[in-house]
Amino acid sequence: MLNKNFNQNIIGIIGGKGSMGQFFAKLFKSVGSKVLISDLGTKLSNQQLIEKSDVVIFSVPLHLSTKIILENLKFLRKDQLVMDFTSLKQEQVTAMMKSKAEVMGMHPLFGPPIENVKGQVILYCPERTKQEKKFVNFMEKFGFTMKEISPQKHDHLMAIIQVLIHFKAIVLGKALEKLGVDIKESLAISSPIYKMELNMIGRIFAQDPKLYGAIEIMNPETQKVLKILEESFDLYKEIVLKKDLVKFEKEFVKTSKHMGKYCQQALQNTAKIFKVL
Amino acid sequence: MLNKNFNQNIIGIIGGKGSMGQFFAKLFKSVGSKVLISDLGTKLSNQQLIEKSDVVIFSVPLHLSTKIILENLKFLRKDQLVMDFTSLKQEQVTAMMKSKAEVMGMHPLFGPPIENVKGQVILYCPERTKQEKKFVNFMEKFGFTMKEISPQKHDHLMAIIQVLIHFKAIVLGKALEKLGVDIKESLAISSPIYKMELNMIGRIFAQDPKLYGAIEIMNPETQKVLKILEESFDLYKEIVLKKDLVKFEKEFVKTSKHMGKYCQQALQNTAKIFKVL
């Protein structure tokens, strides 16, 4: 039975051996919550975990998330709160809504390793729940910044924040590989901007290909975003190969105006970042 | 007449009212060097500046650099050292070699505003000079890291470090504009990687369109680099639209292997960067 004091609930994490699952298990335990985990190779099955838990969290690979949620729907009860930690929300929340439980989708906008939870953003979609305020309060006490969002708006924004930005890094990584760039040599003779970029690319290629693949493949707006990215590429490709500096400047200034005052702020922010590179 | 103690030379900066020219004028003056500048609207003409200087530096817009150098060749004497600060080296050094002066191309790999010169890299191409060691020593005393490179190798590396990386930022900026992304709204609900990316894009769009245009347009290897970037884009576009997670993983792992141990280092570096975002 769900307790309004969240640290008195038994929190079950399906996929609790993954890096995200482990991270949150440790965090919840640190305030006295009882945490159960199930995963490949645990004694506890997903069914057993659900039977014993008040809060059930699916912390599972994105590409398998809907499948795993649907398989476990039948074990969920009305007196439970079910959540997920995956990077997309529409399919996952819709799947959880087929259960009898209270439903709140979640997306922690960071992945371990992080050094400090303070200010880390977690997006949440309270789809069918009376526990929203209590749960948000429980999470805010750790230092997280909790932001409510609809599953639709969430996936729309992630088409930019994740699909576009990760795609760029993955494509640049492939270009560096195809060009045979010696990473070490290039970093020895490099600008701060290049160092920043290599750090971003390297960070992604240190992580799970399936996660990054699923983020690209599963977002409902991927096709639209890639189309616009390609149009932007083609625009500048033509300008540059035609050596049309006048048109380059015109297009550049349009974007600069769109970004507005943020550009000056970015100049200051990057000066700070350069110091720690 | 060139003095081996560089702070005793008169240093003339053509384009001395630009941000780079101003930056170096101030720096050279800080150790007692006499600095002359010429620019649009100065009393001193380029010819007069060259006549009065021991060291002449072309700190002029990249897209005009070869033209300005060629116009002033005839004023240069054998007892002078001529240099440039532009972002490409083959054309510029070749042009300076048509004079009678000693020639050393330079490329400071940073642009004002920077907060500290310590560790900032300056690439240099000593094409025809006896002053190399003395000059390098003079610059190193400020804290710069001086690296010798041939004009050919320089432009080859800049095809990656500048052409590729700036092109990415400029294209992403255009995509954000075309998608109508509200920069402020997107930053409020964003991952650290997205914040880093926006800072990099914003930094570029805060700066001179002509410089970024000229870097793209004038590098002799632009066409090659854009071709490979496009191939990499097309590869992942097909994978993602076909929802082929297996092939995504295969290609991702190839790049990850190419980047090697650097990926883990990038994971640590970015954790540091995230703290200052």
Side-chain angles (χ1 to χ4, degrees), chain A residues 63 109 113 115 123 147 149 153 157 160-161 164-168 170-181 183 185-207 209-210 212-214 216-217 222-226 228-237 240-241 243-245 248-249 251-256 258-259 262-264 266-267 269-271 273-277, chain B residues 63 109 113 115 120 123 147 149 153 157 160-161 164-165 167-168 170-181 183 185-207 209-210 212-214 216-217 222-226 228-237 240-241 243-245 248-249 251-256 258-259 262-264 266-267 269-271 273-277:
Chain A
H63 67 289
L109 281 183
E115 299 193 5
L123 303 179
K147 298 203 187 212
I149 194 165
K153 178 95 187 205
L157 280 170
I160 310 298
I161 291 165
L164 179 67
I165 303 304
H166 295 169
F167 193 82
K168 167 232 71 169
I170 293 160
V171 166
L172 273 189
K174 180 58 72 186
L176 293 174
E177 178 202 330
K178 278 177 178 258
L179 285 158
V181 172
I183 303 296
E185 184 194 53
S186 70
L187 282 168
I189 303 181
S190 86
S191 62
I193 277 281
Y194 181 72
K195 274 189 198 156
M196 261 180 91
E197 186 63 57
L198 266 253
N199 274 313
M200 289 174 71
I201 299 172
R203 181 179 179 86
I204 284 181
F205 283 99
Q207 294 183 69
K210 284 202 176 73
Y212 286 98
E216 296 298 327
I217 287 170
T222 292
Q223 193 167 1
K224 176 185 152 197
V225 165
L226 293 194
I228 286 180
L229 186 59
E230 194 169 15
E231 284 169 12
S232 306
F233 181 98
D234 289 344
L235 173 73
Y236 276 108
K237 181 188 159 194
V240 166
L241 295 185
K243 300 183 184 291
D244 188 344
L245 191 56
F248 185 98
E249 194 173 354
E251 293 295 341
F252 188 102
V253 169
K254 263 199 260 174
T255 300
S256 193
H258 173 74
M259 298 190 83
Y262 175 74
C263 296
Q264 285 303 319
L267 211 55
N269 289 350
T270 45
I273 294 170
F274 291 171
K275 285 191 200 169
V276 299
L277 282 180
Chain B
H63 68 290
L109 281 182
E115 300 195 4
Q120 295 289 355
L123 303 180
K147 299 203 187 215
I149 193 164
K153 177 94 186 206
L157 279 170
I160 310 297
I161 290 166
L164 179 67
I165 303 302
F167 193 83
K168 167 231 74 169
I170 294 160
V171 166
L172 274 188
K174 181 57 73 185
L176 293 175
E177 179 201 331
K178 277 177 178 257
L179 284 158
V181 172
I183 302 297
E185 183 194 56
S186 71
L187 281 168
I189 303 182
S190 87
S191 62
I193 277 281
Y194 181 73
K195 275 188 197 155
M196 262 180 90
E197 186 63 56
L198 266 252
N199 274 312
M200 289 174 70
I201 299 171
R203 181 179 179 85
I204 284 181
F205 283 99
Q207 295 182 71
K210 283 203 177 71
Y212 286 97
E216 297 297 328
I217 287 170
T222 292
Q223 193 167 1
K224 176 186 153 197
V225 164
L226 293 194
I228 286 181
L229 186 59
E230 193 168 17
E231 285 169 12
S232 306
F233 182 97
D234 289 344
L235 173 72
Y236 276 109
K237 181 189 161 194
V240 166
L241 295 185
K243 300 184 185 290
D244 189 345
L245 191 56
F248 185 97
E249 196 173 354
E251 293 296 342
F252 188 102
V253 169
K254 263 200 259 175
T255 300
S256 193
H258 173 73
M259 297 191 83
Y262 175 74
C263 295
Q264 285 303 319
L267 211 55
N269 289 351
T270 45
I273 295 169
F274 291 172
K275 284 190 201 170
V276 300
L277 283 179

Side-chain angles (χ1 to χ4, degrees), chain B residues 37-53:
Chain B
I37 66 162
S38 65
D39 207 321
L40 299 174
T42 54
K43 276 191 192 168
L44 205 65
S45 69
N46 293 343
Q47 179 178 353
Q48 288 167 330
L49 173 135
I50 294 172
E51 281 165 1
K52 292 179 181 177
S53 300

Side-chain angles (χ1 to χ4, degrees), chain A residues 96-110:
Chain A
M96 290 190 292
M97 286 295 282
K98 289 179 185 162
S99 74
K100 292 173 182 162
E102 296 191 30
V103 172
M104 192 146 120
M106 303 243 289
H107 182 192
L109 281 183
F110 55 87

Side-chain angles (χ1 to χ4, degrees), chain A residues 13-63:
Chain A
I13 303 179
I14 294 176
K17 283 167 79 175
S19 57
M20 206 64 154
Q22 281 182 47
F23 176 82
F24 278 97
K26 200 175 155 189
L27 201 71
F28 294 146
K29 281 180 191 168
S30 74
V31 291
S33 302
K34 187 168 178 193
V35 177
L36 301 176
I37 66 161
S38 64
D39 208 320
L40 298 174
T42 54
K43 275 189 193 169
L44 206 66
S45 69
N46 293 344
Q47 181 179 351
Q48 288 166 332
L49 174 137
I50 294 173
E51 281 165 2
K52 291 179 181 177
S53 300
D54 304 305
V55 177
V56 174
I57 300 173
F58 288 94
S59 181
V60 295
L62 176 57
H63 67 289

